Amino acid sequence: MNTRPNQSEPALIKGLRTLRLDFYIFAVLIFLSILGVGIADAFETPAHWYWIAMVPVYFAACFFLEWQAIRHSGKALRDILLWQTQHWLGVLAAFFLAFKLREIGSLDNQVTGLILLLLLALGTFLAGITTGWLFRLLGIFLGFNLIMVAYMEHYVAVLIASAAAMLVLYHYLAKSLDRVVAERVADDSAE
C-alpha cells in the first residue's frame, strides 16, 4: 500500500493531513466555548454548571500541551502539574465567588454567566503565558465571545464566523512558526 501522499492532491487536503494535535485541541475548545455560549443563552442556571465543567477540560488541555512541549527538555512534570493545578483551581475559586455573589443577590443569572465567561477567558489567556500562544489566542476568542453575547441579540453566526477565522489564523500562525523554527534549525546546523 502506498502511504505517500498523491502529488496531485489539492493543497487543502495535504494541509489537513499535516495538522498538529494542538489544532484539534484548539478546535474542540472553540467548539465547547460556542456550545457554552448557546447553552448560556437558552438555559441560564445549567450554563453556570457547564462553565464550571469546562475548567477541568481547559486544565487538562493546558497540562497536556505543556507536557508535550517540555517532555524532552528535562523539566519536571511535577512543576507543570503544580502550576497548572494552582492556576485552574484559582479560576474555579473565582467561579464559586461569582456564584456566591449571585446567591446573595448582587448579580442576576445573566450577569453571572457573563462573569463566568470573562473569568474563563482571562484564565485561559493567562495560562497561555506558560503554555504558549495557542491559549492566549483562545483567551482572546473567549473575550470576543463575551463581547458578542453582551452586545448582540443574534450572535451565533458571528461566533461561528469568528471561530472559523480563529482556526484559519491558528493554521497560518502555526505554519509561520514552524517555518521560523525550521530556518533556525537550518541556520544552527550550517554553523
Side-chain angles (χ1 to χ4, degrees), residues 51-70:
W51 289 118
I52 284 179
M54 286 299 95
V55 172
V57 171
Y58 277 64
F59 163 76
C62 280
F63 178 72
F64 176 76
L65 290 175
E66 195 167 3
W67 173 70
Q68 290 291 310
I70 64 104

Side-chain angles (χ1 to χ4, degrees), residues 166-183:
M166 282 294 186
L167 293 173
V168 169
L169 179 61
Y170 163 85
H171 191 64
Y172 171 77
L173 290 173
K175 286 179 80 172
S176 296
L177 290 172
D178 287 346
R179 190 177 314 115
V180 167
V181 168
E183 288 172 1

Side-chain angles (χ1 to χ4, degrees), residues 2 4 54-55 67-70 84 86 93 111 115 121 143 150 164 186:
N2 186 4
R4 288 181 37 207
M54 286 299 95
V55 172
W67 173 70
Q68 290 291 310
I70 64 104
Q84 289 291 342
Q86 289 175 10
V111 173
I115 288 174

Side-chain angles (χ1 to χ4, degrees), residues 7 10 22 53 60 97-98 117 138 164:
Q7 298 299 330
D22 56 353
L97 290 173
L117 184 53
L138 185 58

Side-chain angles (χ1 to χ4, degrees), residues 50-108:
Y50 178 86
W51 289 118
I52 284 179
M54 286 299 95
V55 172
V57 171
Y58 277 64
F59 163 76
C62 280
F63 178 72
F64 176 76
L65 290 175
E66 195 167 3
W67 173 70
Q68 290 291 310
I70 64 104
R71 67 181 171 176
H72 300 294
S73 70
K75 291 183 183 175
L77 184 63
R78 179 182 47 96
D79 293 339
I80 294 170
L81 182 60
L82 181 63
W83 189 90
Q84 289 291 342
T85 301
Q86 289 175 10
H87 175 82
W88 290 104
L89 282 176
V91 171
L92 197 57
F95 274 31
F96 282 108
L97 290 173
F99 278 135
K100 194 63 173 170
L101 289 172
R102 185 192 70 188
E103 185 180 303
I104 63 174
S106 296
L107 303 174
D108 63 18

Side-chain angles (χ1 to χ4, degrees), residues 31-49:
F31 170 77
L32 290 173
S33 72
I34 291 175
L35 180 64
V37 168
I39 290 171
D41 196 29
F43 314 102
E44 290 176 356
T45 302
H48 299 152
W49 295 107

